[in-house]
Amino acid sequence: MVKINQIVNELVEFSKLHLYLDNELDELYLTNMIIGELNLDSFIKKEVDLTKIKNFKNADYFSENLSLYLKENSDLSDNQIERKVTKIFGFLSPRPSKVNEKFFSLYQKEGDKAALDFFYDLSIKNDYVKKSKIDKNLVWETNFPSKNLEISINLSKPEKNNKDIAKLLVKKSSSETKYPSCLLCKENLGYYGRDDHPSRENIRLIPLTLDNEKWYLQYSPYGYFNMHAIILKESHSNMVINESTFIKLTEFVDQFPYFFVGSNADLPIVGGSILNHEHYQGGEHRLPIMKVGTKCEFILKGNHTSKLFLLDWYNSTLLIKGKDRNDVVDIATKILNKWRDYDVLENDILSHTNEVKHNTITPCIKKDGDTYSLYLILRNNRTNEIYPDGIFHAHSEYHHIKHEGIGIIEAMGLFILPARLIRQENQIKDCLKLNLTDEEIVNKYSDLNGNFLTMIHELKKNYKEETIDEDIKEYINNVCKNILINTAVFKDDEKGNNGLKRFIESIEF
Protein backbone atom coordinates (compact mmCIF):
# COMPACT_ATOMS: atom_id res chain seq x y z
CA MET A 1 0.00 0.00 0.00
CA VAL A 2 1.28 3.43 -0.95
CA LYS A 3 2.13 5.69 2.02
CA ILE A 4 0.58 8.71 0.36
CA ASN A 5 1.34 11.17 3.17
CA GLN A 6 5.04 10.42 2.79
CA ILE A 7 4.86 10.61 -1.01
CA VAL A 8 3.23 14.05 -0.93
CA ASN A 9 5.81 15.39 1.52
CA GLU A 10 8.63 14.01 -0.61
CA LEU A 11 7.08 15.39 -3.79
CA VAL A 12 6.94 18.90 -2.34
CA GLU A 13 10.60 18.69 -1.31
CA PHE A 14 11.48 17.31 -4.76
CA SER A 15 9.77 20.35 -6.29
CA LYS A 16 11.81 22.67 -4.08
CA LEU A 17 15.04 20.95 -5.12
CA HIS A 18 14.34 20.37 -8.82
CA LEU A 19 11.30 22.35 -9.99
CA TYR A 20 12.19 25.80 -8.65
CA LEU A 21 9.57 25.93 -5.90
CA ASP A 22 11.11 28.62 -3.68
CA ASN A 23 8.30 30.45 -1.93
CA GLU A 24 6.68 29.43 1.38
CA LEU A 25 3.17 30.50 0.35
CA ASP A 26 3.53 28.79 -3.04
CA GLU A 27 4.60 25.64 -1.20
CA LEU A 28 1.49 25.69 0.97
CA TYR A 29 -0.73 26.47 -1.99
CA LEU A 30 0.68 23.66 -4.14
CA THR A 31 0.60 21.17 -1.26
CA ASN A 32 -3.12 21.81 -0.92
CA MET A 33 -3.56 21.46 -4.68
CA ILE A 34 -2.00 17.99 -4.52
CA ILE A 35 -4.16 17.04 -1.52
CA GLY A 36 -7.23 18.14 -3.45
CA GLU A 37 -6.35 16.17 -6.57
CA LEU A 38 -5.81 13.04 -4.46
CA ASN A 39 -9.01 13.58 -2.41
CA LEU A 40 -7.11 13.26 0.87
CA ASP A 41 -9.10 13.83 4.07
CA SER A 42 -5.99 14.41 6.17
CA PHE A 43 -2.37 15.38 5.74
CA ILE A 44 0.56 15.74 8.14
CA LYS A 45 3.58 17.84 7.26
CA LYS A 46 6.73 15.78 7.98
CA GLU A 47 10.44 16.03 7.30
CA VAL A 48 11.81 13.73 4.62
CA ASP A 49 15.19 12.33 3.60
CA LEU A 50 16.54 15.13 1.40
CA THR A 51 19.57 13.09 0.33
CA LYS A 52 17.28 10.53 -1.25
CA ILE A 53 15.23 13.21 -3.04
CA LYS A 54 18.26 15.19 -4.17
CA ASN A 55 19.71 12.20 -6.01
CA PHE A 56 16.61 11.48 -8.07
CA LYS A 57 17.45 11.73 -11.79
CA ASN A 58 13.81 11.77 -12.87
CA ALA A 59 10.27 11.80 -11.49
CA ASP A 60 9.52 8.07 -11.88
CA TYR A 61 9.33 7.42 -8.15
CA PHE A 62 6.51 9.94 -7.78
CA SER A 63 4.58 9.24 -10.98
CA GLU A 64 4.60 5.51 -10.24
CA ASN A 65 3.52 5.89 -6.60
CA LEU A 66 0.83 8.47 -7.38
CA SER A 67 -0.53 6.24 -10.14
CA LEU A 68 -0.55 3.22 -7.85
CA TYR A 69 -2.31 5.15 -5.08
CA LEU A 70 -5.03 6.35 -7.47
CA LYS A 71 -5.45 2.85 -8.84
CA GLU A 72 -5.96 1.51 -5.31
CA ASN A 73 -8.17 4.34 -4.05
CA SER A 74 -10.32 5.47 -6.97
CA ASP A 75 -12.40 4.11 -9.81
CA LEU A 76 -10.52 6.16 -12.42
CA SER A 77 -9.46 4.53 -15.69
CA ASP A 78 -5.78 4.22 -16.59
CA ASN A 79 -6.10 7.21 -18.94
CA GLN A 80 -7.77 9.30 -16.24
CA ILE A 81 -5.06 8.36 -13.73
CA GLU A 82 -2.34 9.33 -16.20
CA ARG A 83 -4.02 12.69 -16.81
CA LYS A 84 -4.37 13.37 -13.09
CA VAL A 85 -0.71 12.59 -12.40
CA THR A 86 0.30 14.83 -15.31
CA LYS A 87 -1.93 17.57 -13.90
CA ILE A 88 -0.12 17.38 -10.55
CA PHE A 89 3.26 17.72 -12.25
CA GLY A 90 1.83 20.53 -14.36
CA PHE A 91 1.03 22.81 -11.46
CA LEU A 92 4.23 21.85 -9.62
CA SER A 93 6.29 22.92 -12.64
CA PRO A 94 7.34 26.57 -12.93
CA ARG A 95 4.93 28.67 -14.96
CA PRO A 96 5.79 28.97 -18.68
CA SER A 97 6.85 32.61 -18.25
CA LYS A 98 9.27 31.67 -15.44
CA VAL A 99 10.77 28.90 -17.58
CA ASN A 100 11.28 31.35 -20.43
CA GLU A 101 12.83 33.89 -18.09
CA LYS A 102 15.31 31.32 -16.72
CA PHE A 103 16.08 29.94 -20.19
CA PHE A 104 16.92 33.27 -21.78
CA SER A 105 18.83 34.45 -18.72
CA LEU A 106 21.08 31.39 -19.02
CA TYR A 107 21.29 31.89 -22.77
CA GLN A 108 22.56 35.44 -22.36
CA LYS A 109 24.99 34.68 -19.52
CA GLU A 110 26.29 31.20 -20.40
CA GLY A 111 25.26 30.42 -23.96
CA ASP A 112 22.89 28.10 -25.79
CA LYS A 113 24.19 24.83 -24.29
CA ALA A 114 23.53 25.93 -20.70
CA ALA A 115 20.02 27.09 -21.60
CA LEU A 116 19.17 23.93 -23.54
CA ASP A 117 20.60 21.71 -20.77
CA PHE A 118 18.50 23.50 -18.14
CA PHE A 119 15.35 23.10 -20.21
CA TYR A 120 16.03 19.40 -20.85
CA ASP A 121 16.68 18.65 -17.18
CA LEU A 122 13.47 20.46 -16.21
CA SER A 123 11.52 18.48 -18.83
CA ILE A 124 12.79 15.24 -17.29
CA LYS A 125 12.25 16.27 -13.68
CA ASN A 126 8.65 17.39 -14.29
CA ASP A 127 7.89 14.02 -15.91
CA TYR A 128 7.34 15.35 -19.44
CA VAL A 129 10.37 13.65 -21.02
CA LYS A 130 10.12 9.95 -20.12
CA LYS A 131 13.87 9.50 -19.81
CA SER A 132 13.81 6.15 -18.02
CA LYS A 133 11.57 4.68 -20.73
CA ILE A 134 13.81 6.14 -23.44
CA ASP A 135 16.82 4.52 -21.77
CA LYS A 136 15.14 1.10 -22.04
CA ASN A 137 15.18 1.23 -25.85
CA LEU A 138 17.55 -1.26 -27.46
CA VAL A 139 20.21 0.67 -29.37
CA TRP A 140 23.23 -0.54 -31.30
CA GLU A 141 25.53 0.54 -34.11
CA THR A 142 26.23 -1.53 -37.21
CA ASN A 143 29.74 -2.73 -37.98
CA PHE A 144 29.79 -2.08 -41.71
CA PRO A 145 33.23 -1.25 -43.18
CA SER A 146 31.97 2.30 -43.76
CA LYS A 147 28.72 4.25 -43.55
CA ASN A 148 27.57 2.77 -40.27
CA LEU A 149 23.94 3.02 -39.14
CA GLU A 150 22.38 3.29 -35.70
CA ILE A 151 19.53 0.91 -34.94
CA SER A 152 16.96 1.41 -32.17
CA ILE A 153 14.09 -0.84 -31.17
CA ASN A 154 11.74 1.69 -29.64
CA LEU A 155 9.67 0.25 -26.81
CA SER A 156 7.16 3.10 -26.67
CA LYS A 157 6.48 4.07 -30.28
CA PRO A 158 3.62 2.33 -32.13
CA GLU A 159 3.98 1.68 -35.85
CA LYS A 160 2.14 4.06 -38.15
CA ASN A 161 0.80 3.23 -41.57
CA ASN A 162 1.69 5.44 -44.54
CA LYS A 163 -1.95 5.60 -45.61
CA ASP A 164 -3.04 6.81 -42.16
CA ILE A 165 -0.33 9.46 -42.19
CA ALA A 166 -1.47 10.73 -45.60
CA LYS A 167 -5.02 11.14 -44.27
CA LEU A 168 -3.80 13.89 -41.94
CA LEU A 169 -3.43 16.16 -44.96
CA VAL A 170 -7.06 15.73 -46.02
CA LYS A 171 -8.91 15.79 -42.68
CA LYS A 172 -12.39 17.17 -43.10
CA SER A 173 -15.43 18.38 -41.13
CA SER A 174 -15.66 17.80 -37.41
CA SER A 175 -12.16 16.36 -36.97
CA GLU A 176 -10.70 19.76 -37.81
CA THR A 177 -12.67 21.43 -35.02
CA LYS A 178 -10.96 19.43 -32.29
CA TYR A 179 -8.93 21.39 -29.79
CA PRO A 180 -5.96 21.37 -29.97
CA SER A 181 -5.90 20.69 -33.71
CA CYS A 182 -2.93 18.32 -33.36
CA LEU A 183 -0.23 17.16 -30.94
CA LEU A 184 2.15 19.89 -32.07
CA CYS A 185 -0.07 22.95 -31.67
CA LYS A 186 0.98 25.55 -29.11
CA GLU A 187 -2.49 25.14 -27.58
CA ASN A 188 -1.24 21.90 -26.02
CA LEU A 189 0.50 24.07 -23.41
CA GLY A 190 -1.34 23.18 -20.19
CA TYR A 191 -4.04 21.16 -21.99
CA TYR A 192 -5.80 18.67 -19.69
CA GLY A 193 -6.08 15.89 -22.29
CA ARG A 194 -8.80 13.43 -23.21
CA ASP A 195 -8.99 9.74 -24.10
CA ASP A 196 -7.77 10.36 -27.67
CA HIS A 197 -5.32 13.15 -26.84
CA PRO A 198 -2.62 12.98 -24.16
CA SER A 199 -2.45 15.45 -21.30
CA ARG A 200 0.13 18.21 -21.79
CA GLU A 201 -0.19 20.12 -18.53
CA ASN A 202 3.51 19.68 -17.76
CA ILE A 203 4.82 20.71 -21.19
CA ARG A 204 6.75 23.96 -21.49
CA LEU A 205 7.59 25.88 -24.68
CA ILE A 206 10.45 28.23 -25.53
CA PRO A 207 9.43 31.00 -28.00
CA LEU A 208 11.67 31.59 -31.02
CA THR A 209 11.69 33.83 -34.09
CA LEU A 210 12.66 32.14 -37.37
CA ASP A 211 12.48 34.08 -40.64
CA ASN A 212 10.24 36.66 -38.94
CA GLU A 213 7.75 33.98 -37.84
CA LYS A 214 6.91 32.83 -34.33
CA TRP A 215 8.00 29.29 -33.50
CA TYR A 216 8.48 27.30 -30.30
CA LEU A 217 10.99 24.77 -29.01
CA GLN A 218 10.04 21.80 -26.86
CA TYR A 219 11.52 18.38 -26.18
CA SER A 220 10.03 15.12 -27.40
CA PRO A 221 8.55 13.07 -24.53
CA TYR A 222 9.84 9.86 -26.15
CA GLY A 223 13.03 11.09 -27.82
CA TYR A 224 14.94 9.04 -30.38
CA PHE A 225 18.32 10.53 -29.42
CA ASN A 226 19.87 12.74 -26.76
CA MET A 227 17.96 15.99 -26.21
CA HIS A 228 15.54 15.26 -29.06
CA ALA A 229 13.87 18.62 -29.66
CA ILE A 230 10.79 19.56 -31.65
CA ILE A 231 10.63 23.04 -33.16
CA LEU A 232 7.05 23.88 -34.08
CA LYS A 233 5.37 26.69 -35.95
CA GLU A 234 2.89 28.84 -34.02
CA SER A 235 0.14 28.41 -36.62
CA HIS A 236 -1.34 25.03 -37.53
CA SER A 237 -0.39 24.63 -41.19
CA ASN A 238 0.91 21.80 -43.36
CA MET A 239 4.57 20.89 -43.74
CA VAL A 240 6.34 22.78 -46.51
CA ILE A 241 9.84 22.80 -47.98
CA ASN A 242 10.87 26.05 -49.68
CA GLU A 243 13.45 28.83 -49.50
CA SER A 244 12.05 29.97 -46.16
CA THR A 245 12.72 26.49 -44.76
CA PHE A 246 16.44 26.85 -45.46
CA ILE A 247 16.44 30.34 -43.95
CA LYS A 248 14.75 29.08 -40.79
CA LEU A 249 17.12 26.14 -40.43
CA THR A 250 20.19 28.33 -40.78
CA GLU A 251 18.78 30.89 -38.35
CA PHE A 252 18.08 28.14 -35.83
CA VAL A 253 21.68 26.87 -35.80
CA ASP A 254 22.88 30.48 -35.59
CA GLN A 255 20.92 30.77 -32.35
CA PHE A 256 21.63 27.21 -31.14
CA PRO A 257 24.88 25.90 -32.67
CA TYR A 258 24.93 23.17 -30.01
CA PHE A 259 22.07 21.47 -31.87
CA PHE A 260 21.55 20.18 -35.40
CA VAL A 261 18.12 20.77 -36.91
CA GLY A 262 16.26 19.35 -39.87
CA SER A 263 12.86 19.01 -41.46
CA ASN A 264 10.88 16.08 -42.67
CA ALA A 265 9.83 16.37 -46.29
CA ASP A 266 6.41 17.78 -47.07
CA LEU A 267 4.86 14.78 -48.85
CA PRO A 268 3.38 11.47 -47.65
CA ILE A 269 5.58 8.33 -47.63
CA VAL A 270 8.79 10.41 -47.54
CA GLY A 271 7.61 12.95 -44.98
CA GLY A 272 7.54 11.33 -41.55
CA SER A 273 4.47 10.84 -39.36
CA ILE A 274 3.04 14.36 -38.88
CA LEU A 275 2.40 16.31 -42.07
CA ASN A 276 -0.37 18.64 -40.95
CA HIS A 277 1.74 20.90 -38.71
CA GLU A 278 4.98 22.46 -39.87
CA HIS A 279 7.78 21.47 -37.53
CA TYR A 280 11.46 20.56 -37.38
CA GLN A 281 13.48 18.12 -35.31
CA GLY A 282 16.89 18.63 -33.77
CA GLY A 283 19.14 17.82 -30.87
CA GLU A 284 22.63 17.37 -29.49
CA HIS A 285 23.18 14.05 -31.27
CA ARG A 286 25.25 13.71 -34.42
CA LEU A 287 23.48 11.35 -36.80
CA PRO A 288 25.35 8.76 -38.91
CA ILE A 289 25.03 10.79 -42.12
CA MET A 290 27.10 13.52 -40.44
CA LYS A 291 30.04 11.17 -39.92
CA VAL A 292 30.70 10.06 -43.52
CA GLY A 293 32.87 11.53 -46.25
CA THR A 294 32.09 12.84 -49.71
CA LYS A 295 32.30 11.07 -53.06
CA CYS A 296 32.95 14.06 -55.26
CA GLU A 297 32.66 17.83 -55.50
CA PHE A 298 30.50 19.61 -58.06
CA ILE A 299 32.07 22.77 -59.46
CA LEU A 300 29.63 25.67 -59.13
CA LYS A 301 29.50 28.44 -61.70
CA GLY A 302 29.10 32.02 -60.58
CA ASN A 303 30.42 33.78 -57.50
CA HIS A 304 29.50 31.19 -54.89
CA THR A 305 31.76 30.93 -51.86
CA SER A 306 30.17 27.65 -50.70
CA LYS A 307 31.01 24.18 -51.98
CA LEU A 308 28.65 21.44 -53.18
CA PHE A 309 29.44 17.76 -52.67
CA LEU A 310 27.85 14.39 -53.30
CA LEU A 311 27.85 12.61 -49.97
CA ASP A 312 29.14 9.05 -49.65
CA TRP A 313 25.79 7.83 -48.36
CA TYR A 314 23.17 5.21 -49.18
CA ASN A 315 20.50 7.58 -50.49
CA SER A 316 20.94 10.54 -52.86
CA THR A 317 22.34 13.24 -50.59
CA LEU A 318 23.97 16.54 -51.50
CA LEU A 319 26.04 18.51 -49.01
CA ILE A 320 26.50 22.28 -49.12
CA LYS A 321 29.34 23.63 -46.97
CA GLY A 322 29.97 27.31 -46.55
CA LYS A 323 30.31 30.26 -44.19
CA ASP A 324 27.96 32.66 -45.97
CA ARG A 325 24.42 31.85 -44.84
CA ASN A 326 22.81 33.63 -47.77
CA ASP A 327 24.99 31.75 -50.24
CA VAL A 328 24.15 28.39 -48.65
CA VAL A 329 20.42 29.20 -48.79
CA ASP A 330 20.69 30.38 -52.41
CA ILE A 331 22.34 27.15 -53.59
CA ALA A 332 19.84 24.99 -51.69
CA THR A 333 16.89 26.92 -53.11
CA LYS A 334 18.15 26.53 -56.69
CA ILE A 335 18.56 22.76 -56.15
CA LEU A 336 15.07 22.46 -54.64
CA ASN A 337 13.36 24.52 -57.35
CA LYS A 338 14.97 22.46 -60.11
CA TRP A 339 14.22 19.17 -58.38
CA ARG A 340 10.53 19.99 -57.89
CA ASP A 341 9.85 19.69 -61.64
CA TYR A 342 12.65 17.35 -62.66
CA ASP A 343 11.76 14.20 -64.63
CA VAL A 344 14.08 11.43 -65.73
CA LEU A 345 12.25 8.27 -66.81
CA GLU A 346 15.49 6.30 -67.05
CA ASN A 347 15.72 6.54 -63.26
CA ASP A 348 11.95 6.07 -62.64
CA ILE A 349 11.69 9.70 -61.52
CA LEU A 350 8.51 11.60 -62.34
CA SER A 351 8.01 14.92 -60.58
CA HIS A 352 4.21 14.97 -61.02
CA THR A 353 1.29 12.70 -61.79
CA ASN A 354 -1.24 15.15 -63.19
CA GLU A 355 -1.35 17.77 -60.39
CA VAL A 356 0.08 15.52 -57.67
CA LYS A 357 3.63 16.43 -56.62
CA HIS A 358 6.23 13.70 -56.11
CA ASN A 359 9.63 15.40 -55.83
CA THR A 360 10.78 17.06 -52.62
CA ILE A 361 13.78 17.31 -50.31
CA THR A 362 14.58 16.29 -46.74
CA PRO A 363 16.98 18.97 -45.40
CA CYS A 364 19.14 19.02 -42.28
CA ILE A 365 21.86 21.37 -41.04
CA LYS A 366 24.58 21.61 -38.42
CA LYS A 367 27.05 24.38 -37.72
CA ASP A 368 30.68 23.89 -36.71
CA GLY A 369 32.34 27.16 -35.77
CA ASP A 370 31.30 29.53 -38.54
CA THR A 371 30.76 26.81 -41.17
CA TYR A 372 27.31 25.54 -42.15
CA SER A 373 26.84 21.96 -43.36
CA LEU A 374 23.46 21.68 -45.07
CA TYR A 375 22.41 18.16 -46.12
CA LEU A 376 19.81 17.82 -48.88
CA ILE A 377 18.34 14.35 -49.40
CA LEU A 378 16.51 14.11 -52.73
CA ARG A 379 13.13 12.38 -52.26
CA ASN A 380 10.32 11.09 -54.48
CA ASN A 381 7.09 9.53 -53.19
CA ARG A 382 5.66 8.05 -56.40
CA THR A 383 3.98 4.64 -56.29
CA ASN A 384 3.15 2.09 -58.99
CA GLU A 385 1.65 -1.39 -59.28
CA ILE A 386 4.93 -3.07 -58.39
CA TYR A 387 5.60 -0.76 -55.42
CA PRO A 388 2.20 0.39 -54.09
CA ASP A 389 3.83 1.68 -50.89
CA GLY A 390 6.42 3.74 -52.75
CA ILE A 391 9.02 3.15 -55.45
CA PHE A 392 11.60 4.91 -53.27
CA HIS A 393 10.23 3.56 -49.99
CA ALA A 394 11.18 0.36 -48.16
CA HIS A 395 10.28 -2.41 -50.58
CA SER A 396 7.82 -5.07 -49.51
CA GLU A 397 10.46 -7.72 -48.76
CA TYR A 398 11.60 -5.51 -45.86
CA HIS A 399 8.23 -4.56 -44.38
CA HIS A 400 8.43 -7.21 -41.69
CA ILE A 401 11.27 -5.17 -40.17
CA LYS A 402 10.22 -1.62 -41.13
CA HIS A 403 6.98 -0.62 -42.85
CA GLU A 404 6.62 3.03 -41.81
CA GLY A 405 7.66 5.97 -43.94
CA ILE A 406 11.37 6.75 -43.93
CA GLY A 407 11.44 10.25 -42.48
CA ILE A 408 14.36 12.47 -41.64
CA ILE A 409 15.71 10.42 -38.72
CA GLU A 410 15.91 7.13 -40.66
CA ALA A 411 17.02 8.84 -43.88
CA MET A 412 20.00 10.18 -41.94
CA GLY A 413 20.90 6.77 -40.57
CA LEU A 414 19.10 6.25 -37.25
CA PHE A 415 16.44 3.56 -37.62
CA ILE A 416 13.50 3.47 -35.22
CA LEU A 417 12.14 -0.08 -35.31
CA PRO A 418 8.91 -1.34 -33.69
CA ALA A 419 8.86 -3.01 -30.27
CA ARG A 420 7.13 -6.08 -31.72
CA LEU A 421 10.52 -7.19 -33.07
CA ILE A 422 11.64 -8.15 -29.56
CA ARG A 423 8.78 -10.64 -29.28
CA GLN A 424 9.24 -11.86 -32.84
CA GLU A 425 12.97 -12.33 -32.37
CA ASN A 426 12.32 -14.68 -29.45
CA GLN A 427 9.76 -16.54 -31.54
CA ILE A 428 12.24 -16.89 -34.42
CA LYS A 429 14.90 -18.28 -32.07
CA ASP A 430 12.36 -20.81 -30.80
CA CYS A 431 11.48 -21.89 -34.35
CA LEU A 432 15.13 -22.32 -35.29
CA LYS A 433 15.99 -24.23 -32.14
CA LEU A 434 13.09 -26.64 -32.69
CA ASN A 435 13.74 -26.80 -36.46
CA LEU A 436 10.05 -26.23 -37.20
CA THR A 437 8.58 -26.49 -40.68
CA ASP A 438 6.85 -23.48 -42.28
CA GLU A 439 3.45 -24.95 -41.48
CA GLU A 440 4.41 -25.57 -37.86
CA ILE A 441 5.80 -22.03 -37.56
CA VAL A 442 2.61 -20.37 -38.83
CA ASN A 443 0.43 -22.59 -36.65
CA LYS A 444 2.44 -21.75 -33.55
CA TYR A 445 3.12 -18.05 -34.29
CA SER A 446 0.50 -16.55 -36.57
CA ASP A 447 2.45 -13.35 -37.31
CA LEU A 448 5.60 -15.20 -38.43
CA ASN A 449 4.51 -15.57 -42.03
CA GLY A 450 5.54 -14.24 -45.42
CA ASN A 451 8.81 -12.33 -45.11
CA PHE A 452 9.47 -13.77 -41.66
CA LEU A 453 9.54 -17.26 -43.14
CA THR A 454 12.08 -16.06 -45.68
CA MET A 455 14.09 -14.54 -42.83
CA ILE A 456 14.00 -17.85 -40.90
CA HIS A 457 15.15 -19.77 -44.00
CA GLU A 458 18.09 -17.37 -44.37
CA LEU A 459 19.07 -17.68 -40.70
CA LYS A 460 18.73 -21.46 -40.80
CA LYS A 461 21.56 -21.79 -43.35
CA ASN A 462 24.26 -21.14 -40.77
CA TYR A 463 22.27 -21.60 -37.57
CA LYS A 464 24.17 -21.88 -34.30
CA GLU A 465 22.38 -21.33 -31.02
CA GLU A 466 25.36 -19.50 -29.50
CA THR A 467 25.53 -16.92 -32.34
CA ILE A 468 21.86 -16.50 -33.25
CA ASP A 469 21.43 -13.19 -31.38
CA GLU A 470 24.23 -11.60 -33.40
CA ASP A 471 23.01 -13.25 -36.60
CA ILE A 472 19.54 -11.74 -36.17
CA LYS A 473 21.06 -8.36 -35.41
CA GLU A 474 23.21 -8.59 -38.54
CA TYR A 475 20.14 -9.52 -40.58
CA ILE A 476 18.31 -6.44 -39.28
CA ASN A 477 21.37 -4.27 -39.99
CA ASN A 478 21.42 -5.34 -43.62
CA VAL A 479 17.68 -4.83 -44.02
CA CYS A 480 18.02 -1.24 -42.78
CA LYS A 481 20.92 -0.62 -45.16
CA ASN A 482 18.90 -2.01 -48.06
CA ILE A 483 15.90 0.16 -47.12
CA LEU A 484 18.08 3.27 -47.39
CA ILE A 485 19.30 2.04 -50.77
CA ASN A 486 15.61 1.66 -51.77
CA THR A 487 15.05 5.33 -50.92
CA ALA A 488 17.85 6.52 -53.21
CA VAL A 489 16.29 8.24 -56.23
CA PHE A 490 19.62 7.92 -58.08
CA LYS A 491 21.07 4.48 -57.39
CA ASP A 492 24.80 4.01 -56.82
CA ASP A 493 25.44 2.49 -60.23
CA GLU A 494 26.42 3.83 -63.63
CA LYS A 495 22.88 4.78 -64.60
CA GLY A 496 22.18 6.44 -61.26
CA ASN A 497 25.48 8.30 -61.07
CA ASN A 498 25.07 9.60 -64.61
CA GLY A 499 21.49 10.66 -63.83
CA LEU A 500 22.56 12.59 -60.73
CA LYS A 501 25.40 14.27 -62.61
CA ARG A 502 23.00 15.39 -65.36
CA PHE A 503 20.60 16.76 -62.73
CA ILE A 504 23.31 18.91 -61.13
CA GLU A 505 24.51 20.10 -64.56
CA SER A 506 20.94 21.20 -65.38
CA ILE A 507 20.82 23.68 -62.50
CA GLU A 508 21.66 27.30 -63.26
CA PHE A 509 23.70 28.23 -60.20
Side-chain angles (χ1 to χ4, degrees), residues 163 269 345 347-350 353 358 380-396:
K163 294 181 175 61
I269 297 176
L345 292 177
N347 299 101
D348 287 324
I349 298 169
L350 285 177
T353 301
H358 296 308
N380 178 287
N381 78 340
R382 191 165 69 89
T383 63
N384 60 18
E385 291 184 2
I386 300 175
Y387 301 112
D389 292 292
I391 298 170
F392 303 104
H393 173 54
H395 291 175
S396 59

Side-chain angles (χ1 to χ4, degrees), residues 306-371:
S306 305
K307 293 186 176 183
L308 177 64
F309 303 93
L310 173 61
L311 206 67
D312 186 15
W313 191 238
Y314 298 104
N315 49 38
S316 306
T317 304
L318 302 171
L319 170 62
I320 305 169
K321 290 182 73 75
K323 298 181 179 181
D324 184 335
R325 187 175 79 186
N326 293 331
D327 191 55
V328 170
V329 169
D330 179 62
I331 295 169
T333 303
K334 285 182 167 67
I335 293 171
L336 171 66
N337 290 343
K338 187 67 178 182
W339 178 243
R340 283 290 190 191
D341 299 310
Y342 194 77
D343 299 307
V344 50
L345 292 177
E346 184 180 358
N347 299 101
D348 287 324
I349 298 169
L350 285 177
S351 63
H352 293 77
T353 301
N354 298 321
E355 299 298 317
V356 179
K357 299 177 183 178
H358 296 308
N359 283 358
T360 185
I361 278 177
T362 299
C364 184
I365 192 168
K366 67 183 179 75
K367 190 176 183 183
D368 299 299
D370 57 358
T371 300

Side-chain angles (χ1 to χ4, degrees), residues 115-127:
L116 292 165
D117 284 344
F118 147 75
F119 188 43
Y120 190 58
D121 182 67
L122 173 67
S123 300
I124 294 170
K125 296 291 175 44
N126 78 346
D127 203 41

Side-chain angles (χ1 to χ4, degrees), residues 134 137-140 149-160 222-226 228 273 281 285 287-288 401-421 476 480 483-484:
I134 295 171
N137 293 336
L138 299 183
V139 181
W140 70 88
L149 305 175
E150 294 172 4
I151 314 294
S152 171
I153 296 183
N154 193 292
L155 302 180
S156 57
K157 178 177 181 282
E159 286 187 278
K160 293 184 180 180
Y222 297 101
Y224 300 151
F225 45 81
N226 192 38
H228 185 173
S273 60
Q281 298 183 66
H285 193 62
L287 292 163
I401 303 299
K402 177 75 177 180
H403 187 269
E404 293 178 289
I406 305 303
I408 181 173
I409 306 304
E410 276 98 1
M412 300 190 75
L414 171 54
F415 272 79
I416 313 300
L417 302 181
R420 61 173 170 80
L421 286 175
I476 292 173
C480 292
I483 287 174
L484 279 190

Side-chain angles (χ1 to χ4, degrees), residues 7-23:
I7 296 298
V8 173
N9 275 293
E10 291 175 334
L11 180 54
V12 171
E13 294 302 321
F14 176 84
S15 301
K16 290 162 70 175
L17 287 168
H18 298 291
L19 298 178
Y20 303 91
L21 175 58
D22 58 4
N23 180 279

Side-chain angles (χ1 to χ4, degrees), residues 120 128-130 134 218-224 227-230:
Y120 190 58
Y128 183 71
V129 171
K130 312 295 184 181
I134 295 171
Q218 67 176 68
Y219 286 109
S220 173
Y222 297 101
Y224 300 151
M227 300 180 76
H228 185 173
I230 307 295

Side-chain angles (χ1 to χ4, degrees), residues 330-488:
D330 179 62
I331 295 169
T333 303
K334 285 182 167 67
I335 293 171
L336 171 66
N337 290 343
K338 187 67 178 182
W339 178 243
R340 283 290 190 191
D341 299 310
Y342 194 77
D343 299 307
V344 50
L345 292 177
E346 184 180 358
N347 299 101
D348 287 324
I349 298 169
L350 285 177
S351 63
H352 293 77
T353 301
N354 298 321
E355 299 298 317
V356 179
K357 299 177 183 178
H358 296 308
N359 283 358
T360 185
I361 278 177
T362 299
C364 184
I365 192 168
K366 67 183 179 75
K367 190 176 183 183
D368 299 299
D370 57 358
T371 300
Y372 300 94
S373 294
L374 176 58
Y375 301 82
L376 304 177
I377 305 176
L378 304 178
R379 312 298 299 272
N380 178 287
N381 78 340
R382 191 165 69 89
T383 63
N384 60 18
E385 291 184 2
I386 300 175
Y387 301 112
D389 292 292
I391 298 170
F392 303 104
H393 173 54
H395 291 175
S396 59
E397 62 263 35
Y398 306 126
H399 286 180
H400 59 309
I401 303 299
K402 177 75 177 180
H403 187 269
E404 293 178 289
I406 305 303
I408 181 173
I409 306 304
E410 276 98 1
M412 300 190 75
L414 171 54
F415 272 79
I416 313 300
L417 302 181
R420 61 173 170 80
L421 286 175
I422 296 174
R423 181 190 77 249
Q424 290 165 327
E425 178 179 338
N426 289 327
Q427 294 171 348
I428 288 169
K429 289 191 288 187
D430 181 56
C431 295
L432 289 167
K433 186 175 182 179
L434 297 175
N435 196 26
L436 300 180
T437 66
D438 288 359
E439 184 178 355
E440 290 171 331
I441 291 170
V442 174
N443 286 337
K444 187 171 184 178
Y445 301 116
S446 60
D447 59 348
L448 291 188
N449 51 33
N451 293 334
F452 276 111
L453 293 178
T454 304
M455 177 180 177
I456 291 171
H457 293 162
E458 182 68 26
L459 293 167
K460 188 179 290 187
K461 293 176 184 177
N462 300 298
Y463 172 69
K464 293 180 181 178
E465 186 175 352
E466 60 270 23
T467 65
I468 190 58
D469 288 326
E470 287 304 311
D471 291 342
I472 290 175
K473 187 178 289 186
E474 188 64 22
Y475 177 92
I476 292 173
N477 293 347
N478 284 305
V479 165
C480 292
K481 177 177 71 174
N482 290 332
I483 287 174
L484 279 190
I485 293 171
N486 288 163
T487 68

